[in-house]
Amino acid sequence: MTQAPPPNATALDWGQPYASQRSPVMGRNIVSASQPLAAQAGLRMLMAGGNAVDAAIATAMALTVVEPTGCGIGSDGFAIVWDGKELHGLNASGRSPAAWTPEYFAQRGGIPESGWNAVTVPGAVSAWVALSKRLGKLPFAQLAQPAIEYARGGFPVSPIIATQWALGADRLGAQPGFAECFMPGGRAPRAGEIFRSEAHARTLELIADTSGEAFYRGTLARQMAAHAQANGGAMTEDDLASHQADWVGTVSQPFGDAVVHEIPPNGQGIAALIALGLLDAVGIGTRPVDDVETVHASIEAMKLALADLYEHNADIDAMRVAPRDLLDPAYLRERALRIDPARAGDPGHGAPRRGGTVYLAAADASGMMVSFIQSNYMGFGSGVVVPGTGISLQNRGHGFSLVPGHANEVGPRKRPSHTIIPAFAMHADGTPRMAFGVMGGPMQSQGHVQMALRVLRYGQNPQAAADAPRWRVTGGRGVAVEPGFDPAVLAELRARGHEVTVESGHGVFAFGGAQLVLREGGIYIAGSDPRKDGHAAAF
């Protein structure tokens, strides 16, 4: 339920009519997240003696409460962690129900965007538990306390999230359980109003007290399976009980004097690495970062990378092409020859020889750094909320293909090709350099390329990189850009055949939000994105 706001709260004009600047945040302990209350939750763990992993988990739990428009208890998650000595990669994305086959969806007219038949097993809870058990310091139950307090005591809904909430309610309000949880009084909460969810608080307490067991093999699992059965879904208790998060390491690509790391497929991080390899192959960096030559080459490299992604990326056990083949230097050099410096292209995929999401970064004074991402996929995801629990569920199943024989073709107990990806950059000598990520569906690998280019190749500070206007490949020769691009650059891009559209006022939805934490000497420097409610907290 909501609580009435102060008398003049909703009368405020929440617009931001003037250009503003924010400075990078610096400190020896730091959290950068897409919502300030969540960042404070992480900072509380650091101040209580916890490490960066504890801070990341507390932040992630809090985000399910204060930013439900991007994630929920029923999200998926991925993480890359530098523990001070080595890099760890965690894939906590869920697999499909055992009953999911091509025939199952042929009988239903395809894979929907909403409802239970879009839901794969949610993995975010398993990410929190796995990270805590292996790398955390504080008791798991302690990490949930800020999120529980926000859910039970309430929090003021921020303006950008209020806008996304209203859009989600318009689209998903009829989905089972959605209105009961997210539309108190029959509508989405407005900016400045207090939102509470006692059901969410109780569920987080149960997850905290059982280290996630209740979610996959207990009371909550039974409630999810029963709700699925009652609403035409295929998810069972066995599907939930069979889930596990996997420590998978990373795949990497040298880029200049750095090495960029991503989670292996089924995530789309491989596309960012392909594009960076192509940019190195064409000698990127000789012209300024916002020069048309740099922008054109970056767009063309991204097109080639996305073509390979859409053809080859899938559950790694189902892929016919290994990630190392897609990153083979000879293959990248051959693909780079397809970049015409004078004309926009519309490339297809290669054939290498065999041979509306939340992102956060945290770091501590001991040297531990965390790159973490969790997501419902499309805003509120499937729109399904299990009654009485606050568990909103992702719609990752919509990421499968129904093309017969495709590596990403839907199948039982299979991970779909996934959009959410954390990134990490190392120095060539093996020391950590930056945890970073960009939210926003297919924008994410494109955003990783732009952040890596700006910080790792051109030396921009993290806040400048987050603030800079971004571009997004939209298919064919199409490219969307944010306001702020030099009109002369846009004119030159159009002259080269790019079909450029300027998307004003849609940055938070179409171009994502970025958070970056860069290590420089004994301190960290954080950038956070004003397209969302990005915020960094440090001491």
Side-chain angles (χ1 to χ4, degrees):
M1 59 182 296
T2 57
Q3 174 177 297
N8 295 321
T10 55
L12 290 175
D13 179 355
W14 296 104
Q16 298 292 111
Y18 309 114
S20 63
Q21 291 183 330
R22 60 171 73 176
S23 297
V25 173
M26 293 179 279
R28 291 186 171 87
N29 298 273
I30 203 161
V31 180
S32 183
S34 56
Q35 209 279 352
L37 295 175
Q40 292 294 330
L43 200 66
R44 282 173 56 180
M45 299 303 112
L46 290 169
M47 298 183 77
N51 62 19
V53 163
D54 298 318
I57 297 167
T59 302
M61 288 182 173
L63 282 165
T64 70
V65 180
V66 300
E67 194 174 346
T69 52
C71 70
I73 299 173
S75 286
D76 275 355
F78 295 83
I80 300 176
V81 182
W82 172 257
D83 68 2
K85 296 180 180 179
E86 62 179 312
L87 209 57
H88 304 268
L90 180 68
N91 182 336
S93 63
R95 295 170 176 84
S96 57
W100 280 17
T101 63
E103 295 73 26
Y104 179 89
F105 286 104
Q107 296 167 4
R108 290 161 174 79
I111 305 174
E113 289 186 5
S114 58
W116 266 107
N117 280 314
V119 181
T120 54
V121 174
V125 172
S126 71
W128 308 338
V129 173
L131 287 165
S132 179
K133 285 183 176 178
R134 185 166 183 173
L135 298 165
K137 286 176 63 178
L138 297 176
F140 184 71
Q142 184 175 347
L143 309 181
Q145 291 311 303
I148 292 167
E149 291 170 15
Y150 291 145
R152 180 163 287 141
F155 67 94
V157 176
S158 51
I160 292 174
I161 290 173
T163 299
Q164 294 173 308
W165 204 316
L167 292 172
D170 287 343
R171 190 171 69 89
L172 298 168
Q175 288 300 319
F178 186 93
E180 173 192 329
C181 183
F182 291 121
M183 299 173 65
R187 62 168 175 81
R190 300 187 179 103
E193 291 185 341
I194 302 297
F195 178 81
R196 296 184 179 88
S197 177
E198 176 62 27
H200 202 130
R202 291 195 303 267
T203 292
L204 286 171
E205 286 173 331
L206 193 52
I207 290 169
D209 292 344
T210 65
S211 293
E213 280 297 299
F215 191 82
Y216 293 106
R217 283 164 285 275
T219 301
L220 298 173
R222 289 191 292 274
Q223 289 177 277
M224 283 187 278
H227 193 247
Q229 184 177 12
N231 290 278
M235 188 79 69
T236 66
E237 289 185 58
D238 285 344
D239 292 325
L240 291 158
S242 69
H243 172 78
Q244 66 176 27
D246 297 318
W247 294 98
V248 295
T250 63
V251 288
S252 62
Q253 172 64 35
F255 183 61
D257 62 355
V259 180
V260 178
H261 291 257
E262 300 273 359
I263 296 291
N266 55 318
Q268 66 166 312
I270 190 74
L273 300 183
I274 292 170
L276 292 174
L278 293 171
L279 289 175
D280 255 356
V282 299
I284 201 75
T286 58
R287 303 287 297 173
V289 65
D290 294 312
D291 185 87
V292 67
E293 302 294 342
T294 305
V295 177
H296 170 77
S298 300
I299 290 169
E300 294 303 294
M302 199 69 242
K303 289 178 187 176
L304 287 161
L306 290 174
D308 275 0
L309 177 81
Y310 297 143
E311 176 64 19
H312 300 299
N313 198 64
D315 187 318
I316 198 164
D317 293 334
M319 286 179 66
R320 300 178 182 87
V321 174
R324 65 177 178 274
D325 297 328
L326 292 166
L327 299 174
D328 179 81
Y331 175 67
L332 292 174
R333 286 193 297 271
E334 184 272 326
R335 290 288 276 170
L337 294 174
R338 297 173 180 267
I339 297 177
D340 185 337
R343 294 295 300 170
D346 184 8
H349 66 83
R353 291 175 292 276
R354 293 185 180 273
T357 301
V358 294
Y359 172 82
L360 64 98
D364 65 38
S366 76
M368 178 178 276
M369 298 178 69
V370 181
S371 182
F372 183 93
I373 196 162
Q374 67 186 20
S375 171
N376 280 341
Y377 191 19
M378 300 177 179
F380 280 100
S382 67
V384 175
V385 184
V386 181
T389 69
I391 298 172
S392 62
L393 292 150
Q394 38 85 330
N395 60 336
R396 284 292 163 187
H398 191 68
F400 278 118
S401 171
L402 289 177
V403 176
H406 194 284
N408 189 43
E409 184 181 14
V410 68
R413 298 281 168 85
K414 185 177 181 180
R415 283 173 162 147
S417 182
H418 226 286
T419 59
I420 64 171
I421 45 173
F424 206 99
M426 304 285 285
H427 291 281
D429 65 3
T431 55
R433 191 165 181 179
M434 183 168 68
F436 67 105
V438 176
M439 299 156 272
M443 178 64 203
Q444 292 182 48
S445 57
Q446 304 188 53
H448 284 201
V449 169
Q450 292 170 70
M451 296 304 107
L453 190 66
R454 289 183 176 281
V455 178
L456 303 178
R457 180 55 59 88
Y458 285 92
Q460 287 190 334
N461 73 71
Q463 189 59 54
D467 287 344
R470 296 199 271 272
W471 50 261
R472 185 184 81 256
V473 170
T474 59
R477 292 179 174 82
V479 58
V481 301
E482 290 186 288
F485 266 84
D486 183 345
V489 171
L490 298 185
E492 290 189 56
L493 288 173
R494 291 186 174 108
R496 296 181 191 205
H498 294 279
E499 297 168 2
V500 180
T501 57
V502 180
E503 294 190 358
S504 178
H506 300 289
V508 65
F509 306 106
F511 297 94
Q515 326 293 340
L516 310 91
V517 171
L518 178 71
R519 182 174 179 174
E520 286 286 319
I523 65 165
Y524 301 104
I525 304 168
S528 56
D529 204 318
R531 292 165 185 79
K532 298 192 81 172
D533 292 312
H535 179 79
F539 70 92

